[in-house]
């Protein structure tokens, strides 16, 4: 939903940046018309974060809006034949608008930068204050202004005396004839803007789709065209990519440069991109078949890094950064977690370490599953086992169908389900593959890793050890060690590194006593510091530590507030630090990271110095390791880590939530645990406990409703 728009001389101000690339070599890799690198055109500056065309939006790439100032000056006017309601600039003088403040133009974006007094800028203001490398003006409504005795063409000719205008675009064919040959300085490049294919160009009464078939004619008055993304890479009705059109090649054949609009990090993109905006840019500029000549973006930082840092690098390109890409349940952002397909995709995507969160079946089979409750990771509620539910207070106060309530053959028969952590935002992962793959045993997982020539290691996560030993007679530690022995990991046959992870120090102490595998201690709490004594205790039983993202960069109200010294302190003690959880969905990141997972990864690696990322989307982190911008003597500004707290200082203080209590300091008392109890034989009846201890009628009704709702959500 877009806000009511104040049309300033029908000009949308666009600053243009050029990525720092030397693309004019004799053998350019770019398949653009000129052979130069594609241009990055910042639509209204950094309009993905800040109010469009505000000074801070340009410089970064009391809430007073015009409606507040002039509540009775709303009006109705016909625009392109359609009566529109709003506050129109023809009803105001520039003096009237001096106290009007710009706000976000898309209401789904953050309101936290509204009300900061960002004033309306004129063309001259932008030229003098911002001093853009190049200047692009988009002219939308010249006919509307002409009806009210205001001439956009005269304004542009006059402005060109003091302002260097490099590009002018418009969706109106007859506009170009009004300005061509009339500029005081060098004439700008004219770009014809295509709107929707079924929309009518008002001066010819032809659809934009029909004009597209005659690019030779467009070349007579323009040097380039600006089109929506769908003109080049269309989508089917499920939001998956269709084969590309030939428009880029057709435009280049006609001598036209082709620019693409509609790029933003915080909008839906094709599922093929796995919520990664860099992947989307690369599909337009570096696909091996064509390259567009420029991209119009609300987030120019992502466009610049895509073109400069990640184009023309192969999978075997030299790695510029040394850190581990560790998966979370495989490539679980693309396939159901802990399935064969999720692990195969992770290996294909360049993961260094694949992980298995070990669970146990009722007959003692260790296997990989993202949750001990099968309702969270499979379609068990639609299976014959849906009535094997129970409430286990030691695990959860909610009813569940637990792995140890089913035999391994029963578990193998289940259909996996992809996790959708941001369902409430209407964001769903890879719907076409939401139930693909099969659940695999720990033994199969280890064989898969051992066969791979690219995998550095495996991370085996072990939890619920005490409960399973004492209440279910299942010894997870023994099952893991036995399986590692059976698959050749304990006798030196395998060169794949083994790491055992747990949130319980006593579990890792147990593994240390019985094996020589590396151990990883996971700190579940979000912490602001860690004591020396806690670090010394951890070093006695662990080789590395896992912490959460907020223990590195704490945040409040989706703004990073600062940086802790937890990573620095652990690394000084020779403990590598792995951080979780990295996800591609922009809603998983504070605003500081510009809705871009690559910006976030870069800040944690180069800004905080972590040793590994734990991620559900290993391709994004793996590609970052080959980032060619990091191998230069001078790193470009768009590849610098974010400065904690800077964005918070620009937000409207009245829009921020109250300050929260500080995170705790992690001490030795948080580390120390009693030794693990010895294993016990499983009683003959214990495997059926979950079935025999039925919930009461009221609980069963509540459970039935809960599972029915869960089933309907999974089927969406």
């Amino acid at each position: 939903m877009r806000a009511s728009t104040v049309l300033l001389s029908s000009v949308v101000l666009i600053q243009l940046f050029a990525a720092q690339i030397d693309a004019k070599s004799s053998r350019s890799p770019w398949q653009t018309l000129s052979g130069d690198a594609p241009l990055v055109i910042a639509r209204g500056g950094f309009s993905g974060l800040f109010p469009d065309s505000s000074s801070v939006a340009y410089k970064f790439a009391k809430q007073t809006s015009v409606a507040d100032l002039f509540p009775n000056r709303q009006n109705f006017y016909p625009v392109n034949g359609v009566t529109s309601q709003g506050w129109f600039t023809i009803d105001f003088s520039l003096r009237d608008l001096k106290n009007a403040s710009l706000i976000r133009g898309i209401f789904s974006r953050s309101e936290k930068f509204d009300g900061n007094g960002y004033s309306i800028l004129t063309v001259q203001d932008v030229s003098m204050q911002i001093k853009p490398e190049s200047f692009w003006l988009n002219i939308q409504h010249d006919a509307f202004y002409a009806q009210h005795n205001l001439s956009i063409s005269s304004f542009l000719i006059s402005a060109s005396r003091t302002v260097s205008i490099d590009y002018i675009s418009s969706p109106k064919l007859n506009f170009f004839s009004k300005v061509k040959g009339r500029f005081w300085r060098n004439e700008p490049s004219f770009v014809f803007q295509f709107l929707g294919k079924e929309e009518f160009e008002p001066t010819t009464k032809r659809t934009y789709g029909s004009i597209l078939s005659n690019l030779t004619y467009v070349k007579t008055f323009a040097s380039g065209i600006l089109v929506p993304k769908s003109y080049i890479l269309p989508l089917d009705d499920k939001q998956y990519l269709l084969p590309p059109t030939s428009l880029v090649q057709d435009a280049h054949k006609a001598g036209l440069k082709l620019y693409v609009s509609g790029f933003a990090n915080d909008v839906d993109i094709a599922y093929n991109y796995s919520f990664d905006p860099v992947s989307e840019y690369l599909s337009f500029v570096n696909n091996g078949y064509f390259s567009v000549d420029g991209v119009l973006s609300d987030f120019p930082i992502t466009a610049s890094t895509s073109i400069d840092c990640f184009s023309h690098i192969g999978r075997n390109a030299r790695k510029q950064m040394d850190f581990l890409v560790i998966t979370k349940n495989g490539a679980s952002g693309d396939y159901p977690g802990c399935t064969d397909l999720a692990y195969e995709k992770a290996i294909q995507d360049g993961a260094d370490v694949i992980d298995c969160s070990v669970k146990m079946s009722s007959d003692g089979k260790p296997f990989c599953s993202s949750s001990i409750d099968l309702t969270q990771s499979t379609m068990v509620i639609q299976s014959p086992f849906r009535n094997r539910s129970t409430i286990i207070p030691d695990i959860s106060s909610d009813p569940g169908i637990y792995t140890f309530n089913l035999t391994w053959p029963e578990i193998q028969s289940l259909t996996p389900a992809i996790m959708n952590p941001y369902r409430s935002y209407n964001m769903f992962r890879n719907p076409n593959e939401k139930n693909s793959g099969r659940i695999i045993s720990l033994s199969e997982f280890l064989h898969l890793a051992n066969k791979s020539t690219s995998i550095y290691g495996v991370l085996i996560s072990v939890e619920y050890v005490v409960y399973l030993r004492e209440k279910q007679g299942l010894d997870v530690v023994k099952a893991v060690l036995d399986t590692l022995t059976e698959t050749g990991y304990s006798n030196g046959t395998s060169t794949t590194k083994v790491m055992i992870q747990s949130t319980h120090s006593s579990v890792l102490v147990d593994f240390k006593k019985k094996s020589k595998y590396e151990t990883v201690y996971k700190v579940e709490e979000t912490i602001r510091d860690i004591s020396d004594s806690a670090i010394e205790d951890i070093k006695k039983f662990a080789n590395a530590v896992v912490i959460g993202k907020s223990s590195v960069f704490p945040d409040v109200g989706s703004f990073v507030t600062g940086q802790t010294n937890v990573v620095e302190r652990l690394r000084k003690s020779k403990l590598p630090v792995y951080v979780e959880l990295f996800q591609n969905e922009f809603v998983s990141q504070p605003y500081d990271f510009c809705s871009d997972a690559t910006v976030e990864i870069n800040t944690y690696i180069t800004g905080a110095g972590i040793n590994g990322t734990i991620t559900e989307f290993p391709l994004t982190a793996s590609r970052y390791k080959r980032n060619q911008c990091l191998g230069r003597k001078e790193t470009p500004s768009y590849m610098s880590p974010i400065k904690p707290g800077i964005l918070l200082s620009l937000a409207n203080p009245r829009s921020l939530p109250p300050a929260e209590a500080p995170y705790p300091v992690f001490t030795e008392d948080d580390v120390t645990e009693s030794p693990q109890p010895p294993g016990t034989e499983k009683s003959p009846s214990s495997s059926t406990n979950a079935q025999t201890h039925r919930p009461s009628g009221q609980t069963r009704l509540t459970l039935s409703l809960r599972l029915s709702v869960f089933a309907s959500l999974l089927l969406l």
Side-chain angles (χ1 to χ4, degrees):
M1 178 180 179
R2 290 193 173 270
S4 300
T5 305
V6 177
L7 302 176
L8 258 192
S9 303
S10 146
V11 174
V12 176
L13 303 179
I14 300 174
Q15 183 180 1
L16 183 144
F17 297 86
Q20 299 172 14
I21 309 170
D22 178 11
K24 297 185 178 180
S25 59
S26 58
R27 298 184 63 183
S28 171
W30 296 104
Q31 294 174 290
T32 56
L33 181 62
S34 65
D36 294 343
L39 297 176
V40 176
I41 307 148
R43 192 190 68 82
F46 212 123
S47 56
L49 274 180
F50 303 103
D52 192 322
S53 300
S54 64
S55 59
V56 69
Y58 285 122
K59 290 176 181 177
F60 196 83
K62 77 183 186 197
Q63 181 161 332
T64 307
S65 68
V66 72
D68 298 323
L69 285 173
F70 306 105
N72 300 321
R73 305 263 302 259
Q74 191 176 22
N75 215 332
F76 294 85
Y77 286 105
V79 180
N80 294 336
V82 178
T83 299
S84 302
Q85 180 182 10
W87 285 260
F88 293 80
T89 55
I90 60 172
D91 294 328
F92 303 91
S93 68
L94 195 57
R95 179 177 295 180
D96 290 335
L97 299 176
K98 68 178 181 179
N99 292 323
S101 177
L102 293 170
I103 61 174
R104 67 199 189 281
I106 300 177
F107 284 147
S108 60
R109 288 176 172 163
S110 173
E111 79 290 353
K112 292 181 172 61
F113 300 104
D114 293 349
N116 271 8
Y118 300 134
S119 60
I120 296 171
L121 300 180
T122 66
V123 170
Q124 289 83 358
D125 290 336
V126 175
S127 177
M128 295 298 294
Q129 297 175 23
I130 310 301
K131 296 180 173 58
E133 294 180 22
S134 298
F135 207 1
W136 180 313
L137 302 181
N138 187 41
I139 313 301
Q140 290 288 100
H141 301 288
D142 63 301
F144 170 78
Y145 286 95
Q147 293 169 4
H148 297 275
N149 300 316
L150 295 171
S151 173
I152 291 295
S153 57
S154 296
F155 161 76
L156 291 174
I157 304 307
S158 175
S160 69
R161 297 181 181 182
T162 57
V163 175
S164 177
I165 303 172
D166 301 281
Y167 298 83
I168 293 179
S169 59
S170 176
K172 310 295 172 57
L173 284 174
N174 70 345
F175 169 77
F176 298 99
S177 63
K178 298 177 184 178
V179 296
K180 195 173 182 66
R182 297 179 58 194
F183 285 85
W184 285 77
R185 302 184 183 183
N186 294 333
E187 190 163 76
S189 296
F190 295 129
V191 179
F192 179 58
Q193 181 184 9
F194 283 81
L195 303 181
K197 289 185 178 180
E198 303 304 319
E199 293 186 51
F200 284 90
E201 194 283 319
T203 60
T204 63
K205 307 302 182 185
R206 295 174 57 192
T207 65
Y208 285 98
S210 66
I211 297 173
L212 196 67
S213 63
N214 193 356
L215 294 178
T216 303
Y217 165 64
V218 175
K219 176 61 178 172
T220 62
F221 59 85
S223 62
I225 58 175
L226 175 64
V227 302
K229 293 184 297 185
S230 60
Y231 274 49
I232 299 169
L233 291 175
L235 305 180
D236 64 17
D237 57 0
K238 294 182 178 180
Q239 291 297 104
Y240 286 90
L241 288 172
L242 293 171
T245 68
S246 62
L247 180 57
V248 178
Q249 294 92 330
D250 295 343
H252 288 172
K253 185 177 180 180
L256 290 165
K257 291 187 176 182
L258 187 143
Y259 308 97
V260 187
S261 63
F263 288 96
N265 296 357
D266 57 354
V267 298
D268 289 338
I269 57 178
Y271 287 116
N272 309 67
Y273 301 128
S274 301
F275 303 100
D276 178 13
V278 173
S279 292
E280 182 183 38
Y281 282 109
L282 292 177
S283 71
F284 283 86
V285 302
N286 182 36
N287 57 39
Y289 299 98
F290 61 78
S291 177
V292 303
D293 298 278
V295 292
L296 186 66
S297 174
D298 289 10
F299 292 84
I301 185 174
T302 305
S304 296
T305 56
S306 300
I307 293 170
D308 191 7
C309 307
F310 297 111
S311 292
H312 308 123
I313 58 173
R315 289 188 178 273
N316 297 321
R318 186 167 66 90
K319 294 178 181 178
Q320 305 293 340
M321 298 299 295
D322 184 20
F323 67 94
L324 291 180
V325 176
I326 306 169
T327 68
K328 183 73 169 182
N329 305 316
S332 54
D334 295 305
Y335 290 97
C338 297
T339 60
D340 57 335
L341 294 182
Y343 290 125
E344 289 167 5
K345 179 69 162 53
I347 295 172
Q348 174 189 331
D349 287 347
D352 299 305
V353 178
I354 56 175
D355 72 304
C356 173
S357 182
V358 174
K359 305 298 184 293
M360 298 290 285
S361 64
S362 64
D363 50 354
K365 185 74 169 180
F367 66 98
C368 305
S369 176
S370 60
S371 175
I372 197 170
D373 179 1
L374 291 167
T375 66
Q376 304 298 310
S377 59
T378 73
M379 302 299 291
V380 67
I381 53 177
Q382 295 183 4
S383 77
F385 317 117
R386 59 183 174 272
N387 60 349
R388 295 195 193 178
S389 59
T390 186
I391 296 176
I392 301 178
D394 289 343
I395 298 177
S396 173
S397 58
D398 294 324
I401 301 175
Y402 293 97
T403 62
F404 47 81
N405 290 341
L406 276 70
T407 65
W408 173 235
E410 290 172 335
I411 290 171
Q412 285 180 295
S413 72
L414 298 177
T415 300
I418 201 166
M419 300 289 280
N420 287 301
Y422 301 106
R423 183 189 301 272
S424 61
Y425 293 91
N426 205 32
M427 299 179 76
F428 297 90
R429 294 174 170 178
N430 201 5
N432 280 1
E433 306 292 345
K434 65 181 181 180
N435 298 121
S436 297
R438 61 181 181 83
I439 302 168
I440 65 173
S441 66
L442 175 60
S443 176
E444 291 177 276
F445 167 82
L446 292 172
H447 281 302
L448 177 65
N450 206 22
K451 286 192 303 181
S452 170
T453 58
S454 62
I455 288 295
Y456 167 77
V458 294
L459 179 70
I460 299 173
S461 179
V462 179
E463 302 295 343
Y464 306 107
V465 172
V466 173
Y467 172 80
L468 291 173
R469 275 180 177 167
E470 294 184 345
K471 302 296 178 66
Q472 298 296 330
L474 296 169
D475 192 334
V476 187
V477 174
K478 183 177 185 302
V480 168
L481 292 175
D482 287 350
T483 306
L484 284 166
T485 299
E486 293 164 5
T487 51
Y489 281 76
S490 64
N491 57 13
T493 303
S494 173
T495 58
T496 305
K497 180 181 285 293
V498 175
M499 296 182 282
I500 308 293
Q501 174 185 292
S502 181
T503 58
H504 295 283
S505 59
S506 58
V507 172
L508 299 182
V509 169
D510 200 11
F511 271 103
K512 278 289 190 184
K513 290 178 180 178
K514 299 174 181 178
S515 71
K516 295 182 179 180
Y517 302 121
E518 290 194 6
T519 51
V520 179
Y521 182 54
K522 180 178 177 180
V523 178
E524 283 190 296
E525 300 92 334
T526 299
I527 60 177
R528 73 173 189 271
D529 202 352
I530 184 168
S531 68
D532 290 338
S533 57
I535 294 175
E536 290 306 311
D537 273 6
I538 291 171
K539 289 176 65 176
K540 294 174 183 176
F541 61 83
N543 302 99
V545 177
V546 171
I547 59 176
K549 292 192 298 186
S550 294
S551 294
V552 183
F553 292 109
D555 63 276
V556 59
S558 294
F559 287 94
V560 172
T561 58
Q563 181 176 351
T564 72
N565 64 352
V566 174
V567 174
E568 180 184 2
R569 288 174 56 75
L570 288 169
R571 291 198 60 178
K572 279 185 177 179
S573 297
K574 309 300 181 184
L575 283 170
V577 182
Y578 310 135
V579 174
E580 70 171 30
L581 177 65
F582 289 88
Q583 300 167 309
N584 281 1
E585 291 95 341
F586 70 89
V587 294
S588 71
Q589 305 142 12
Y591 296 122
D592 305 68
F593 301 121
C594 308
S595 301
D596 183 348
T598 298
V599 174
E600 182 180 43
I601 291 169
N602 180 57
T603 299
Y604 277 86
I605 297 298
T606 64
I610 69 172
N611 301 96
T613 59
I614 300 177
T615 175
E616 295 176 332
F617 296 88
L619 176 62
T620 305
S622 174
R623 182 187 58 217
Y624 172 80
K625 296 176 76 168
R626 304 188 302 278
N627 180 343
Q628 56 192 359
C629 288
L630 298 178
R632 301 175 186 164
K633 291 183 179 179
E634 186 174 341
T635 303
S637 59
Y638 38 79
M639 195 40 68
S640 299
I642 66 105
K643 296 180 179 179
I646 293 296
L647 201 62
L648 180 65
S649 68
L650 298 173
N652 186 338
R654 291 174 295 176
S655 70
L656 299 176
E660 298 178 356
Y663 297 135
V665 175
F666 198 71
T667 69
E668 61 181 317
D669 291 338
D670 299 306
V671 179
T672 306
E673 292 181 341
S674 301
Q676 287 287 304
T680 58
E681 288 295 324
K682 184 172 182 177
S683 63
S685 61
S686 60
S687 63
T688 60
N689 282 349
Q691 300 175 52
T692 56
H693 294 288
R694 301 283 183 169
S696 67
Q698 181 177 352
T699 306
R700 187 162 57 244
L701 174 60
T702 304
L703 172 64
S704 175
L705 290 172
R706 172 181 176 271
L707 296 182
S708 297
V709 171
F710 186 81
S712 64
L713 289 175
L714 284 176
L715 289 172
L716 287 178

